[in-house]
Amino acid sequence: MRADLVTLALCGDVMLGRGVDQILPRPGDPALHERYVRDARAYVELAEAVNGRISRPVDFSWPWGDALEALDEAAPDVRVVNLETSITRSDEFAPWKAVHYRMNPDNLPCLALARPDVCALANNHVLDFGRRGLEETLDVLAGAGLRAAGAGRDASQARRPAVVAVGGGGRVLVFSFGTASSGIPPGWAAARDRAGVDFVPEPSDAHAAEVADRVRQAKRPGDIAVASVHWGSNWGYGVSRDQIRFARALLDGGVDVVHGHSSHHPRPIEVYRGRLILHGCGDFIDDYEGITGYEDYRDDLRLLYFVSLDPDSGKLAGLRMAPMRARQMRLHRASREDSEWLQAVLNRIGRHLGSRVDLEADGMLTLGGRDAR
């Protein structure tokens, strides 16, 4: 692979709150306002019931597990995560929400260990503890030198891309926004005088054109633009025609990579006119271990995506994926059998979009056949 390529590390939802927060060295208040669960430690107990005792507290690297080694081996130029939790001590539970995620700010070293260059925040949990919780999240990230995109103290800040310089004088611009289909309440939208997220009500042609216009205004020759979008339901492999059309319109309008997330498991991969669409990256870190009802989706299996791009054209040069399995709230390298299961699923659900995934001898999944429309 060419030495001048720009490589992005992308993953889906990183949910360091609730049960994960409780196993870390400095757990916050475990109180919950869920219908059936009132203490976040109950999610730890569910995980332990399935896979054995977790010796608490774990160290800050524990939730990432083998993913840290995979990141170091790939040595990506830019690391982007969808940070789907509020980092706050606020107890202002957002009303009418069934689930609330918060991580104690004192546990921030857990996030920092993965060295994310950009934390996408336009999702349906970043305001779980109100605007005060969001503002504390922004302050905590900024205080640690971590870039955020997709949320801010006003609409201008929420829509501003995170900018990361890469070799050769180029930049990677990360635009983060979320749609109503992912569960983001419309009232969370940032406004001129109100903190919130960059909210897109629906994946329409008009909204795609509006996002693309912002991308073109910010993008310079040699830049790579990433649209990190929180959209769609939690479960199911289907992707709506509106979502496919919206993603393609973004690419036609100047975006180079669509980084989709919200689903709890991976969704189809698509290459459109030489550019990558990840319709759903799946969860990466969460506390769902032991929760039953969706076993057919194998949501214990996770993917870490390494996207290599031509810096001149922004087109896809290669996609490698590191399969992981969550056990005891820690990521482990997936077995060959589990990797083959992921390969088969991705090939089945991506066939109609022209994508094919191969399993390499080193255990990595790679994108094979591509649609060059």
mmCIF file of all heavy atoms in Angstrom, residues 195-228:
data_model
loop_
_atom_site.group_PDB
_atom_site.id
_atom_site.type_symbol
_atom_site.label_atom_id
_atom_site.label_comp_id
_atom_site.label_asym_id
_atom_site.label_seq_id
_atom_site.Cartn_x
_atom_site.Cartn_y
_atom_site.Cartn_z
ATOM 1 N N ALA A 195 -27.403 25.666 23.430
ATOM 2 C CA ALA A 195 -26.478 24.550 23.254
ATOM 3 C C ALA A 195 -27.226 23.328 22.739
ATOM 4 O O ALA A 195 -28.420 23.139 23.006
ATOM 5 C CB ALA A 195 -25.780 24.236 24.572
ATOM 6 N N GLY A 196 -26.522 22.497 22.002
ATOM 7 C CA GLY A 196 -27.146 21.281 21.501
ATOM 8 C C GLY A 196 -26.290 20.616 20.456
ATOM 9 O O GLY A 196 -25.081 20.854 20.369
ATOM 10 N N VAL A 197 -26.929 19.766 19.650
ATOM 11 C CA VAL A 197 -26.222 19.002 18.631
ATOM 12 C C VAL A 197 -26.593 19.511 17.245
ATOM 13 O O VAL A 197 -27.600 20.199 17.055
ATOM 14 C CB VAL A 197 -26.543 17.495 18.730
ATOM 15 C CG1 VAL A 197 -26.170 16.952 20.098
ATOM 16 C CG2 VAL A 197 -28.007 17.214 18.412
ATOM 17 N N ASP A 198 -25.774 19.154 16.268
ATOM 18 C CA ASP A 198 -26.098 19.437 14.869
ATOM 19 C C ASP A 198 -27.126 18.396 14.445
ATOM 20 O O ASP A 198 -26.792 17.226 14.232
ATOM 21 C CB ASP A 198 -24.840 19.371 14.008
ATOM 22 C CG ASP A 198 -25.090 19.827 12.582
ATOM 23 O OD1 ASP A 198 -26.217 20.281 12.292
ATOM 24 O OD2 ASP A 198 -24.172 19.718 11.755
ATOM 25 N N PHE A 199 -28.362 18.832 14.327
ATOM 26 C CA PHE A 199 -29.494 17.933 14.133
ATOM 27 C C PHE A 199 -30.028 18.055 12.717
ATOM 28 O O PHE A 199 -30.296 19.156 12.230
ATOM 29 C CB PHE A 199 -30.599 18.271 15.134
ATOM 30 C CG PHE A 199 -31.858 17.453 14.999
ATOM 31 C CD1 PHE A 199 -31.860 16.109 15.340
ATOM 32 C CD2 PHE A 199 -33.036 18.035 14.544
ATOM 33 C CE1 PHE A 199 -33.019 15.355 15.231
ATOM 34 C CE2 PHE A 199 -34.200 17.286 14.429
ATOM 35 C CZ PHE A 199 -34.199 15.942 14.774
ATOM 36 N N VAL A 200 -30.169 16.912 12.035
ATOM 37 C CA VAL A 200 -30.758 16.848 10.701
ATOM 38 C C VAL A 200 -32.076 16.077 10.839
ATOM 39 O O VAL A 200 -32.054 14.885 11.164
ATOM 40 C CB VAL A 200 -29.814 16.140 9.706
ATOM 41 C CG1 VAL A 200 -30.495 15.942 8.365
ATOM 42 C CG2 VAL A 200 -28.527 16.945 9.545
ATOM 43 N N PRO A 201 -33.202 16.716 10.627
ATOM 44 C CA PRO A 201 -34.485 16.043 10.891
ATOM 45 C C PRO A 201 -34.696 14.773 10.085
ATOM 46 O O PRO A 201 -35.222 13.785 10.595
ATOM 47 C CB PRO A 201 -35.519 17.110 10.508
ATOM 48 C CG PRO A 201 -34.795 18.413 10.630
ATOM 49 C CD PRO A 201 -33.380 18.121 10.247
ATOM 50 N N GLU A 202 -34.282 14.785 8.794
ATOM 51 C CA GLU A 202 -34.508 13.615 7.947
ATOM 52 C C GLU A 202 -33.455 13.570 6.850
ATOM 53 O O GLU A 202 -32.887 14.607 6.478
ATOM 54 C CB GLU A 202 -35.903 13.672 7.332
ATOM 55 C CG GLU A 202 -36.131 14.912 6.490
ATOM 56 C CD GLU A 202 -37.537 14.993 5.941
ATOM 57 O OE1 GLU A 202 -38.318 14.063 6.219
ATOM 58 O OE2 GLU A 202 -37.850 15.962 5.237
ATOM 59 N N PRO A 203 -33.190 12.376 6.316
ATOM 60 C CA PRO A 203 -32.183 12.249 5.251
ATOM 61 C C PRO A 203 -32.754 12.628 3.883
ATOM 62 O O PRO A 203 -32.912 11.782 2.999
ATOM 63 C CB PRO A 203 -31.790 10.774 5.329
ATOM 64 C CG PRO A 203 -33.036 10.089 5.797
ATOM 65 C CD PRO A 203 -33.704 11.057 6.731
ATOM 66 N N SER A 204 -33.025 13.905 3.690
ATOM 67 C CA SER A 204 -33.641 14.378 2.457
ATOM 68 C C SER A 204 -32.593 14.982 1.528
ATOM 69 O O SER A 204 -31.468 15.289 1.941
ATOM 70 C CB SER A 204 -34.702 15.431 2.773
ATOM 71 O OG SER A 204 -34.081 16.593 3.315
ATOM 72 N N ASP A 205 -32.987 15.190 0.284
ATOM 73 C CA ASP A 205 -32.089 15.830 -0.675
ATOM 74 C C ASP A 205 -31.729 17.236 -0.214
ATOM 75 O O ASP A 205 -30.575 17.668 -0.355
ATOM 76 C CB ASP A 205 -32.758 15.895 -2.050
ATOM 77 C CG ASP A 205 -32.931 14.524 -2.694
ATOM 78 O OD1 ASP A 205 -32.273 13.562 -2.247
ATOM 79 O OD2 ASP A 205 -33.728 14.425 -3.646
ATOM 80 N N ALA A 206 -32.697 17.956 0.330
ATOM 81 C CA ALA A 206 -32.449 19.331 0.766
ATOM 82 C C ALA A 206 -31.445 19.377 1.905
ATOM 83 O O ALA A 206 -30.545 20.230 1.925
ATOM 84 C CB ALA A 206 -33.763 19.990 1.183
ATOM 85 N N HIS A 207 -31.575 18.465 2.861
ATOM 86 C CA HIS A 207 -30.632 18.456 3.991
ATOM 87 C C HIS A 207 -29.248 17.991 3.546
ATOM 88 O O HIS A 207 -28.231 18.487 4.041
ATOM 89 C CB HIS A 207 -31.166 17.584 5.116
ATOM 90 C CG HIS A 207 -32.329 18.184 5.842
ATOM 91 N ND1 HIS A 207 -32.256 19.412 6.461
ATOM 92 C CD2 HIS A 207 -33.597 17.737 6.041
ATOM 93 C CE1 HIS A 207 -33.428 19.692 7.014
ATOM 94 N NE2 HIS A 207 -34.257 18.692 6.770
ATOM 95 N N ALA A 208 -29.184 17.070 2.603
ATOM 96 C CA ALA A 208 -27.887 16.653 2.072
ATOM 97 C C ALA A 208 -27.198 17.827 1.394
ATOM 98 O O ALA A 208 -25.985 18.030 1.542
ATOM 99 C CB ALA A 208 -28.057 15.496 1.097
ATOM 100 N N ALA A 209 -27.972 18.607 0.643
ATOM 101 C CA ALA A 209 -27.404 19.773 -0.036
ATOM 102 C C ALA A 209 -26.899 20.800 0.968
ATOM 103 O O ALA A 209 -25.846 21.433 0.751
ATOM 104 C CB ALA A 209 -28.448 20.396 -0.956
ATOM 105 N N GLU A 210 -27.612 20.970 2.072
ATOM 106 C CA GLU A 210 -27.186 21.936 3.091
ATOM 107 C C GLU A 210 -25.878 21.503 3.744
ATOM 108 O O GLU A 210 -24.967 22.321 3.927
ATOM 109 C CB GLU A 210 -28.294 22.090 4.148
ATOM 110 C CG GLU A 210 -28.072 23.195 5.156
ATOM 111 C CD GLU A 210 -27.227 22.749 6.344
ATOM 112 O OE1 GLU A 210 -27.292 21.557 6.697
ATOM 113 O OE2 GLU A 210 -26.487 23.593 6.903
ATOM 114 N N VAL A 211 -25.763 20.210 4.080
ATOM 115 C CA VAL A 211 -24.521 19.709 4.667
ATOM 116 C C VAL A 211 -23.380 19.820 3.657
ATOM 117 O O VAL A 211 -22.270 20.265 3.983
ATOM 118 C CB VAL A 211 -24.684 18.243 5.139
ATOM 119 C CG1 VAL A 211 -23.335 17.677 5.586
ATOM 120 C CG2 VAL A 211 -25.698 18.155 6.281
ATOM 121 N N ALA A 212 -23.642 19.433 2.424
ATOM 122 C CA ALA A 212 -22.608 19.480 1.391
ATOM 123 C C ALA A 212 -22.118 20.906 1.162
ATOM 124 O O ALA A 212 -20.924 21.129 0.918
ATOM 125 C CB ALA A 212 -23.138 18.880 0.093
ATOM 126 N N ASP A 213 -23.008 21.863 1.249
ATOM 127 C CA ASP A 213 -22.602 23.262 1.089
ATOM 128 C C ASP A 213 -21.630 23.672 2.185
ATOM 129 O O ASP A 213 -20.628 24.356 1.929
ATOM 130 C CB ASP A 213 -23.843 24.164 1.102
ATOM 131 C CG ASP A 213 -23.487 25.621 0.858
ATOM 132 O OD1 ASP A 213 -22.941 25.938 -0.208
ATOM 133 O OD2 ASP A 213 -23.742 26.448 1.765
ATOM 134 N N ARG A 214 -21.903 23.243 3.402
ATOM 135 C CA ARG A 214 -20.978 23.555 4.504
ATOM 136 C C ARG A 214 -19.632 22.886 4.303
ATOM 137 O O ARG A 214 -18.582 23.465 4.612
ATOM 138 C CB ARG A 214 -21.590 23.108 5.840
ATOM 139 C CG ARG A 214 -22.693 23.999 6.346
ATOM 140 C CD ARG A 214 -22.995 23.707 7.796
ATOM 141 N NE ARG A 214 -23.957 22.641 7.970
ATOM 142 C CZ ARG A 214 -23.832 21.655 8.834
ATOM 143 N NH1 ARG A 214 -22.737 21.552 9.577
ATOM 144 N NH2 ARG A 214 -24.773 20.739 8.964
ATOM 145 N N VAL A 215 -19.660 21.662 3.788
ATOM 146 C CA VAL A 215 -18.413 20.943 3.519
ATOM 147 C C VAL A 215 -17.588 21.694 2.478
ATOM 148 O O VAL A 215 -16.379 21.915 2.651
ATOM 149 C CB VAL A 215 -18.697 19.500 3.056
ATOM 150 C CG1 VAL A 215 -17.425 18.824 2.560
ATOM 151 C CG2 VAL A 215 -19.321 18.688 4.193
ATOM 152 N N ARG A 216 -18.231 22.110 1.405
ATOM 153 C CA ARG A 216 -17.503 22.805 0.337
ATOM 154 C C ARG A 216 -16.916 24.129 0.817
ATOM 155 O O ARG A 216 -15.825 24.533 0.398
ATOM 156 C CB ARG A 216 -18.430 23.037 -0.858
ATOM 157 C CG ARG A 216 -18.720 21.768 -1.666
ATOM 158 C CD ARG A 216 -19.381 22.105 -2.986
ATOM 159 N NE ARG A 216 -20.687 22.723 -2.795
ATOM 160 C CZ ARG A 216 -21.825 22.040 -2.716
ATOM 161 N NH1 ARG A 216 -21.816 20.719 -2.811
ATOM 162 N NH2 ARG A 216 -22.971 22.669 -2.561
ATOM 163 N N GLN A 217 -17.622 24.810 1.702
ATOM 164 C CA GLN A 217 -17.111 26.078 2.224
ATOM 165 C C GLN A 217 -15.864 25.884 3.081
ATOM 166 O O GLN A 217 -14.988 26.753 3.109
ATOM 167 C CB GLN A 217 -18.196 26.781 3.046
ATOM 168 C CG GLN A 217 -19.354 27.324 2.219
ATOM 169 C CD GLN A 217 -20.364 28.061 3.078
ATOM 170 O OE1 GLN A 217 -19.996 28.772 4.013
ATOM 171 N NE2 GLN A 217 -21.645 27.893 2.773
ATOM 172 N N ALA A 218 -15.789 24.756 3.779
ATOM 173 C CA ALA A 218 -14.667 24.520 4.694
ATOM 174 C C ALA A 218 -13.492 23.815 4.034
ATOM 175 O O ALA A 218 -12.346 23.956 4.473
ATOM 176 C CB ALA A 218 -15.139 23.697 5.891
ATOM 177 N N LYS A 219 -13.756 23.075 2.976
ATOM 178 C CA LYS A 219 -12.757 22.182 2.391
ATOM 179 C C LYS A 219 -11.803 22.943 1.470
ATOM 180 O O LYS A 219 -12.218 23.765 0.660
ATOM 181 C CB LYS A 219 -13.480 21.082 1.611
ATOM 182 C CG LYS A 219 -12.639 19.860 1.287
ATOM 183 C CD LYS A 219 -13.508 18.795 0.628
ATOM 184 C CE LYS A 219 -12.694 17.553 0.272
ATOM 185 N NZ LYS A 219 -13.520 16.564 -0.464
ATOM 186 N N ARG A 220 -10.512 22.621 1.608
ATOM 187 C CA ARG A 220 -9.478 23.175 0.742
ATOM 188 C C ARG A 220 -8.871 22.046 -0.085
ATOM 189 O O ARG A 220 -9.011 20.875 0.273
ATOM 190 C CB ARG A 220 -8.371 23.839 1.574
ATOM 191 C CG ARG A 220 -8.878 24.926 2.515
ATOM 192 C CD ARG A 220 -7.737 25.717 3.147
ATOM 193 N NE ARG A 220 -6.705 24.915 3.776
ATOM 194 C CZ ARG A 220 -6.146 25.193 4.949
ATOM 195 N NH1 ARG A 220 -6.551 26.258 5.644
ATOM 196 N NH2 ARG A 220 -5.188 24.428 5.441
ATOM 197 N N PRO A 221 -8.197 22.370 -1.181
ATOM 198 C CA PRO A 221 -7.524 21.318 -1.951
ATOM 199 C C PRO A 221 -6.590 20.506 -1.059
ATOM 200 O O PRO A 221 -5.831 21.052 -0.265
ATOM 201 C CB PRO A 221 -6.746 22.114 -3.007
ATOM 202 C CG PRO A 221 -7.523 23.374 -3.182
ATOM 203 C CD PRO A 221 -8.051 23.701 -1.808
ATOM 204 N N GLY A 222 -6.670 19.181 -1.169
ATOM 205 C CA GLY A 222 -5.849 18.308 -0.345
ATOM 206 C C GLY A 222 -6.510 17.869 0.943
ATOM 207 O O GLY A 222 -5.972 17.022 1.668
ATOM 208 N N ASP A 223 -7.695 18.430 1.268
ATOM 209 C CA ASP A 223 -8.421 18.045 2.474
ATOM 210 C C ASP A 223 -9.264 16.798 2.225
ATOM 211 O O ASP A 223 -9.701 16.529 1.098
ATOM 212 C CB ASP A 223 -9.358 19.165 2.937
ATOM 213 C CG ASP A 223 -8.616 20.342 3.552
ATOM 214 O OD1 ASP A 223 -7.405 20.205 3.829
ATOM 215 O OD2 ASP A 223 -9.253 21.395 3.764
ATOM 216 N N ILE A 224 -9.502 16.047 3.292
ATOM 217 C CA ILE A 224 -10.411 14.902 3.275
ATOM 218 C C ILE A 224 -11.558 15.224 4.230
ATOM 219 O O ILE A 224 -11.330 15.608 5.390
ATOM 220 C CB ILE A 224 -9.687 13.621 3.706
ATOM 221 C CG1 ILE A 224 -8.693 13.189 2.615
ATOM 222 C CG2 ILE A 224 -10.682 12.500 4.009
ATOM 223 C CD1 ILE A 224 -7.755 12.095 3.036
ATOM 224 N N ALA A 225 -12.791 15.086 3.738
ATOM 225 C CA ALA A 225 -13.971 15.397 4.549
ATOM 226 C C ALA A 225 -14.683 14.118 4.961
ATOM 227 O O ALA A 225 -15.005 13.277 4.117
ATOM 228 C CB ALA A 225 -14.919 16.302 3.782
ATOM 229 N N VAL A 226 -14.937 13.992 6.258
ATOM 230 C CA VAL A 226 -15.650 12.847 6.820
ATOM 231 C C VAL A 226 -16.985 13.332 7.365
ATOM 232 O O VAL A 226 -17.026 14.293 8.146
ATOM 233 C CB VAL A 226 -14.840 12.184 7.949
ATOM 234 C CG1 VAL A 226 -15.621 11.022 8.565
ATOM 235 C CG2 VAL A 226 -13.487 11.711 7.434
ATOM 236 N N ALA A 227 -18.069 12.690 6.953
ATOM 237 C CA ALA A 227 -19.382 12.953 7.535
ATOM 238 C C ALA A 227 -19.678 11.834 8.523
ATOM 239 O O ALA A 227 -19.912 10.689 8.132
ATOM 240 C CB ALA A 227 -20.453 13.004 6.458
ATOM 241 N N SER A 228 -19.620 12.158 9.814
ATOM 242 C CA SER A 228 -19.876 11.179 10.870
ATOM 243 C C SER A 228 -21.330 11.365 11.302
ATOM 244 O O SER A 228 -21.671 12.348 11.959
ATOM 245 C CB SER A 228 -18.916 11.411 12.047
ATOM 246 O OG SER A 228 -19.045 10.395 13.015
#
